[in-house]
Amino acid sequence: MGWSRNDNALEHLARFGFGARGFVYCVVGVLALLAALGHGGTAGDSKGALRAVLGGPFGAVVVGLIAFGLAGFALWRLVEGVTDADRRGNSAKALVVRGAHLVSAFVYAGLALTAGRLAFGIGRASAGGDGVQDWTAWLLRQPFGPWLVGLAAVAVVAAGLAYAKKAWTGDVTDRLSLPGESERWAKPLGRFGYAARAVVFLIIAGFLATAAWTQGPSEAHGLSGAFAALRAQPYGWVLLAVVAAGHFAFGAFGLIQARYRHIDAPDMGDADAALARAKRAVG
């Protein structure tokens, strides 16, 4: 496979995607932090952040750009998973990471679609349902539904532990080409962000496990539910404020990734060929 120079279109799409994702999580963090401190705002999820941006100046244009960026990020995750663009290899750990990238591609493609619909005025008035509850309900209707939801809970736990390991070991900048002494502050920022994501993923996994046990989709919650669970604890506003700040840090680190991440993207033609081969293999 031939690999591209820095002017590769897919690389630009990926960088724009990292930036769009980072911006969304910055908004999520700010809104949750304001809610924790009692200054307005809502401790919600990414869709809530998009609606907040939509209500601001040039909201439809900004959300439209976010939609384009998230679509680019989803495409990059798909390419990472299928073509091994990051050169991770074929070890068990590498295959798990590549599989997680494919799941991430699906998630962010859905968020990009939501952003696009909002930008074009589709569903603006709707508060939106809890997507986690929707697909949990769908899984529960399938054969062995509770087991499937239980497996989803295990997968979310694994993702949460992976975030926690990354925060603990501090290898968050291993794929960044940072200038000068920037790593001294970029690494703690990234570790804080990954730690916050680990916390909410483990809470979400607990919700899913409860839903699997009770066979009740209403027990499943996403990011907004995790924030609410933190707020309900003793000194919950402190817990929520810390995790909210961590999500802002995660978003800010995403903006750093947009600029400095090493992206060895394949040429678009090579990527299309690899995706076509994967599609034939599945089919």
Side-chain angles (χ1 to χ4, degrees):
M1 178 181 294
W3 298 88
S4 66
R5 300 186 303 274
N6 288 335
D7 60 350
N8 183 277
L10 182 56
E11 178 187 348
H12 294 311
L13 267 177
R15 294 194 186 282
F16 191 54
F18 274 106
R21 184 185 70 154
F23 178 77
V24 169
Y25 279 107
C26 281
V27 176
V28 168
V30 168
L31 292 176
L33 184 59
L34 290 174
L37 299 177
H39 295 300
T42 303
D45 57 9
S46 301
K47 294 179 183 179
L50 291 173
R51 290 189 174 87
V53 172
L54 187 66
F58 306 103
V61 174
V62 175
V63 172
L65 290 173
I66 291 173
F68 179 75
L70 292 175
F73 185 78
L75 176 61
W76 171 243
R77 283 303 196 217
L78 179 63
V79 170
E80 279 185 305
V82 173
T83 70
D84 192 23
D86 280 335
R87 311 291 182 89
R88 297 180 184 274
N90 293 312
S91 66
K93 178 182 177 181
L95 292 176
V96 168
V97 172
R98 290 171 64 181
H101 285 163
L102 294 177
V103 174
S104 178
F106 173 79
V107 171
Y108 283 102
L111 188 58
L113 179 61
T114 297
R117 288 169 58 86
L118 289 172
F120 283 99
I122 303 173
R124 290 192 187 189
S126 173
D130 190 328
V132 176
Q133 290 184 1
D134 292 341
W135 65 255
T136 300
W138 180 82
L139 282 176
L140 286 172
R141 291 195 297 269
Q142 308 311 308
F144 306 103
W147 290 98
L148 294 176
V149 177
L151 287 175
V154 171
V156 176
V157 166
L161 293 177
Y163 277 131
K165 181 178 182 295
K166 207 169 183 68
W168 180 259
T169 59
D171 61 347
V172 297
T173 59
D174 59 338
R175 295 186 181 274
L176 302 183
S177 300
L178 294 168
E181 298 295 316
S182 301
E183 187 170 342
R184 294 178 59 184
W185 58 266
K187 179 173 285 189
L189 183 74
R191 294 178 71 177
F192 183 32
Y194 279 103
R197 293 295 286 164
V199 169
V200 299
F201 265 61
L202 293 176
I203 294 173
I204 291 169
F207 289 145
L208 289 173
T210 302
W213 181 259
T214 64
Q215 300 186 38
S218 62
E219 300 292 337
H221 301 283
L223 181 57
S224 59
F227 283 155
L230 288 169
R231 187 68 178 87
Q233 304 307 308
Y235 299 100
W237 71 272
V238 176
L239 296 175
L240 177 57
V242 171
V243 174
H247 276 72
F248 179 84
F250 183 78
F253 190 73
L255 298 179
I256 295 172
Q257 289 175 303
R259 174 64 179 85
Y260 295 111
R261 193 184 193 280
H262 178 68
I263 297 177
D264 197 7
D267 294 320
M268 294 295 279
D270 293 334
D272 289 342
L275 292 173
R277 288 195 298 271
K279 183 177 180 181
R280 287 196 298 271
V282 172

